Amino acid sequence: MTTDELTRWSGDLPGASRPPRTGWRRARAIVLGAGLTAYCWIAGATVPFSASALLSVLLPGAVLAVIACRFPPERIQPPERIDAVGFSYWAICIAALFEWEASAFRDNSPPWHPSLTELVNPLIAPHPLKSAAVLVWLLAGWGLVRR
Amino acid sequence: MSTRIITIIGFACVIGALAALEAVARRGTTRIPTLGQWLGYVMRPRTGRALILLGWLWLGWHYFAR
C-alpha cells in the first residue's frame, strides 16, 4: 500500500460518503449564526429606555433561562475545588472595579469622576458597535449556561 | 492631569489587571484559576448559577436597555 493510498480520505473510496450529520450541523450553525446576527442588529437599533430595548434584553434572557432549566446543553465540567489564594486575586480586582464604579454612581457620575457606564455608553452608541456588544453579551450568556 | 483622566486610568488599570490575571491563569503554571474555572465553580450549586445568570441579565439591561 502506497503513501498516497494511506493518506487518501475515506470519502474517496468507492461506496463511502460524507456522514450526513456533518452537513446538517453545518447548516444549523449557519442558520443560528445568521439569526443571531440579525437579532443583534435589530437589538442594536433599539432606543434606550424604550419597551423594545427592554424586550430585546429580556427575550434572550428568557430563552437562556428556558434552555438552562429545561434543555440544558452539555456542560463544561467545573473544577472540584479552587485555590483560595489564586481566587483572591480575582476577588480583589473585581472588588476594586465595583468600588470605583459605585463611588462614581454615588456622586451621580460627575464629569470629574465618570462611571464606567458613562465611559462605555459613547463607545457603543453607534449601531454596529452596539450590535457587536449585544452579540458579545449573548455569547457570554451562552458560555455561562454551558458552565 | 484632571481627575477625569485619573478615573479613566483607574478603570483601565483594573480592567488591565483582570486581563492579565486571565492571561497568567491560562498559562497553567500558577494556582490562579481562569475566569471560566471559577465561574464554573461558583455556578455548581443552583443558587450560584441563578445569581450569575441574573448578573449577566442585569448587565445586558444596564448597558442595552437603559
Side-chain angles (χ1 to χ4, degrees), chain A residues 37-58:
Chain A
T37 304
Y39 184 84
C40 292
W41 189 257
I42 295 170
T46 56
V47 177
F49 297 98
S50 65
S52 58
L54 181 63
L55 192 62
S56 69
V57 170
L58 293 181

Side-chain angles (χ1 to χ4, degrees), chain A residues 49 75 90 117 137 145 147, chain B residues 3 33 44 49 56 62 65:
Chain A
F49 297 98
R75 294 176 64 176
W90 284 101
T117 307
W137 175 71
V145 167
R147 290 286 170 185
Chain B
T3 52
R44 286 180 69 191
R49 191 170 172 80
W56 166 82
H62 184 73

